[in-house]
Each structure stands twice: as C-alpha cells, then as structure tokens.
Amino acid sequence: MSEPSIQNLRIRQAVEADLPLVLAFIRALADYERLAHEVVTDLETLHRSLFGERAYAEVLLAEMAGLPVGFAIFFHSFSTFLGKPGIYLEDLFVKPEARGQGVGKALMKHLARLTLERGCARFEWAVLNWNEPAIEFYRSVGATPMDQWTVQRVTGDALVVLAAEAS
C-alpha cells in the first residue's frame, strides 16, 4: 500500500495568535473522544501554559493549502533509566475531512524527527482502548503497546487532599 501524496501540506509550530485555533482543535478532539464535558480550559489558561513564563507544552499545526487540518500537543518527559529526555505526545487530531490523506502520519514523522534532533531517547503516547482506528494507525507507524504499564492519575479533590498531606 503506497502512502498518499500530500500536496500543499505544511507543519509549523503554533504561535500565540493561533490560540483560538488550538482551543478549537482541543474541543473537536474532546468531541471525538466523547469527553467534551471534561474540557475546562480557556484561552487565558492555554496562553499561560503554552506561551507563559514557563512553557509546559508545544503545539504543531498541520495546514493543507493554508487551511488548518490537524494538530499535535507534546511536551518533554524524562527516562531515569536512560538518563535522557523523551517526547510525550499528549494529543493528535486530524479533522475528519482530512483523514486518510497522510496528515496524521506527517505529524508523527515530524515529531519523530524532533525527538531525534533534540537528543531524546523515546517518543511515546497513550491511546484510548476503544479507539481502534487510532490504534491501527499507531501500529502502522511502528508503535508497540506497553501492556505491562497502567497509567495512574491523581486529579481534582484527591490531588488537593494529597498535596495537603505534604505540609
């Protein structure tokens, strides 16, 4: 199976003026993942997190013929065993009308290149168990599941209680 040819595809780093677009992509992704009710961020919060005194994440935008068709949000992680940073892909989303044209693969390739250019040891992410199209796509780019690991999370009231116990 040959890879689709992507004409007029451009991948670029998001800038502050792109924040409304980034928020729109976040909301579209949340709708797709059936998690729209969990989106509480706004432009001010995104600005602080992405372009504030300390940037916690970076955003890539994919454009075809000048129109935004996809995005990826990522940040650096760290492997204590390897003693090197990694890139963690928090979210990747391609608009439905642009899927199957190689946009997602182009974003993944761009991130893989960044991973190597920055001297990182790994490129990783999580995927929802029910999202078979994404799982198949990730397998097609060489990803392997880390079945022996289970993501753990502390958030909301549990986070507040845990932090209070530190004082």
Side-chain angles (χ1 to χ4, degrees), residues 95-130:
K95 288 182 174 181
E97 62 272 18
R99 291 182 191 152
Q101 298 179 51
V103 176
K105 191 171 224 176
L107 282 164
M108 296 296 285
K109 287 177 178 180
H110 190 94
L111 285 161
R113 192 182 82 240
L114 276 178
T115 300
L116 295 177
E117 286 175 359
R118 293 180 181 187
C120 298
R122 46 171 78 138
F123 171 33
E124 56 193 354
W125 59 91
V127 61
L128 291 166
N129 291 334
W130 61 260

